[in-house]
Amino acid sequence: MVENNHSTDSTGEFQRSLSHFDDRILADPNAQWPVEPGRYRLVVSLACPWAHRMLIVRRLLGLESSISVGVTDPVQDERSWRFTLDPDDVDPVLGIGFIGDAYYAREPDYRGGISVPAIVDIPSGELVTNDYLQMTLDLSTEWGGFHRDGAPDLYPVALRPEIDEVIGLVFRDVNNGVYRSGFAAAQDKYDRAYNGLFNRLDWLEERLTGRRYLVGDTITEADIRLFTTLVRFDPVYHGHFKCNRNKLTEMPALWAYARDLYQTPGFTDTVNFDHIKRHYYQVHTDINPTKIVPLGPDLTNWDTPHGREALGGRPFGDGTPPPAPPEAEVFADWRL
């Protein structure tokens, strides 16, 4: 089984490949890819948790006018993520029908997986990077000269060691753990991933019972990386990926924490449950061969009061909430 640039090995364990294109866009004007507003286009799927966190960071930092965004259809075909949401099925900036075209413009003989998020150099049409682990950090650290006034510090220097430690654990057991459970092809591999996932969720439940955010008293990179998995947990991972010890709604601290973030400006308008559900249930035909998309769960409860303000904390620290997004970027309202 191959899912984009990921696979299941001969033992039945899910393996996530490292990003093949790991160039960085740097503030150094002499870099191969220098920071330059208007030069690059971010390509995302609203269904993808790795792309979703790029959208959130970009919104919170106010980089919408510096880095444009293209949104793919949530359902790929064998040629990769496609721009069928745009007129004539072509991205209006890049002039291509598939993000794979940018991969091949960069490396014509490339035979690996095609993934999002991806950043493309508009003048050349070449892919710059698909390194989802580094891209959000670079938005915080390399693009600082173009952050909006009042942008929060999502990766504060003093907290970076703790943030890095937390996001490493969350990646291994939660962000990637749901995939290791869902795509396991052997019982023992599934058992190991499932137990690691819920042990870590129990750890997070305890950690978040007495504190509003994962690290420090403001929203950081760690919260964004956890949120994009939590928001998909009950709609997708609980049933589709067999992560069914309990639902997110049955973990009081985590459920309140997820709602707190969801209701924070910069998060809500990036969440599209329609794209999320249709992608997972219609693309992973080895898991769901009928392609039937469940009608549930009820998602109106994401807007219910969470009570997390009582724990203190300042969502944006010394900064301010982001303004309303451009009309074309209220992604939560998108429907096919």
Side-chain angles (χ1 to χ4, degrees), residues 212-280:
R212 191 170 180 185
Y213 302 112
L214 279 174
V215 181
D217 65 352
T218 65
I219 292 170
T220 68
E221 177 81 19
D223 299 295
I224 295 166
R225 295 195 182 201
L226 177 58
F227 172 78
T228 59
T229 295
L230 295 183
V231 81
R232 289 161 174 76
F233 199 87
D234 287 4
V236 174
Y237 302 143
H238 178 270
H240 186 56
F241 277 178
K242 308 180 187 70
C243 300
N244 59 358
R245 191 195 74 180
N246 51 260
K247 296 177 180 178
L248 175 64
T249 55
E250 296 165 347
M251 304 188 78
L254 274 170
W255 172 225
Y257 164 82
R259 299 201 315 282
D260 186 6
L261 292 175
Y262 176 82
Q263 295 170 30
T264 298
F267 286 77
T268 310
D269 50 77
T270 65
V271 177
N272 188 300
F273 287 115
D274 174 60
H275 279 219
I276 289 167
K277 289 174 64 175
R278 287 194 297 113
H279 167 72
Y280 282 93

Side-chain angles (χ1 to χ4, degrees), residues 20 29 33 48 53 67 79 111 117 139 141 154 166 182 188 191 206 213 218 226 230 241 275-276 281:
H20 179 75
W33 306 107
C48 171
R53 60 203 203 187
I67 307 171
R79 292 166 293 178
R111 293 295 179 268
L139 291 187
T141 58
L154 301 175
V166 170
D188 64 323
D191 292 353
E206 181 178 356
Y213 302 112
T218 65
L226 177 58
L230 295 183
F241 277 178
H275 279 219
I276 289 167
Y281 286 106

Side-chain angles (χ1 to χ4, degrees), residues 19-25 33 41-42 54 103 106 115 117-121 126-132 134-135 138:
S19 297
H20 179 75
F21 299 95
D22 59 359
D23 288 358
R24 296 177 62 192
I25 299 171
W33 306 107
R41 188 156 175 84
L42 169 65
M54 282 289 287
Y103 279 67
R106 171 73 182 276
S115 64
I119 295 181
V120 180
D121 177 50
E126 295 181 5
L127 178 75
V128 175
T129 178
N130 66 346
D131 188 355
Y132 61 94
Q134 184 63 41
M135 290 161 72
D138 283 347

Side-chain angles (χ1 to χ4, degrees), residues 82-240:
R82 49 192 182 157
F83 292 106
T84 50
L85 304 182
D86 294 304
D88 301 319
D89 298 345
V90 171
D91 180 89
V93 173
L94 299 175
I96 57 178
F98 299 85
I99 185 56
D101 294 342
Y103 279 67
Y104 304 130
R106 171 73 182 276
E107 192 172 303
D109 296 329
Y110 180 66
R111 293 295 179 268
I114 307 295
S115 64
V116 290
I119 295 181
V120 180
D121 177 50
I122 296 172
S124 67
E126 295 181 5
L127 178 75
V128 175
T129 178
N130 66 346
D131 188 355
Y132 61 94
L133 293 176
Q134 184 63 41
M135 290 161 72
T136 49
L137 300 180
D138 283 347
L139 291 187
S140 285
T141 58
E142 301 296 324
W143 287 82
F146 300 95
H147 291 177
R148 65 177 176 87
D149 291 339
D153 187 352
L154 301 175
Y155 196 47
V157 172
L159 296 178
R160 286 181 190 178
E162 186 177 1
I163 292 173
D164 291 344
E165 178 183 11
V166 170
I167 65 177
L169 296 172
V170 168
F171 172 80
R172 183 191 69 194
D173 297 330
V174 181
N175 301 147
N176 200 41
V178 293
Y179 284 85
R180 291 174 55 234
S181 299
F183 288 122
Q187 186 69 50
D188 64 323
K189 307 303 181 187
Y190 165 76
D191 292 353
R192 182 184 307 165
Y194 174 100
N195 289 327
L197 166 66
F198 282 101
N199 287 340
R200 184 60 58 197
L201 288 177
D202 288 341
W203 178 80
L204 288 164
E205 175 76 7
E206 181 178 356
R207 183 181 181 96
L208 289 165
T209 295
R211 57 192 302 166
R212 191 170 180 185
Y213 302 112
L214 279 174
V215 181
D217 65 352
T218 65
I219 292 170
T220 68
E221 177 81 19
D223 299 295
I224 295 166
R225 295 195 182 201
L226 177 58
F227 172 78
T228 59
T229 295
L230 295 183
V231 81
R232 289 161 174 76
F233 199 87
D234 287 4
V236 174
Y237 302 143
H238 178 270
H240 186 56

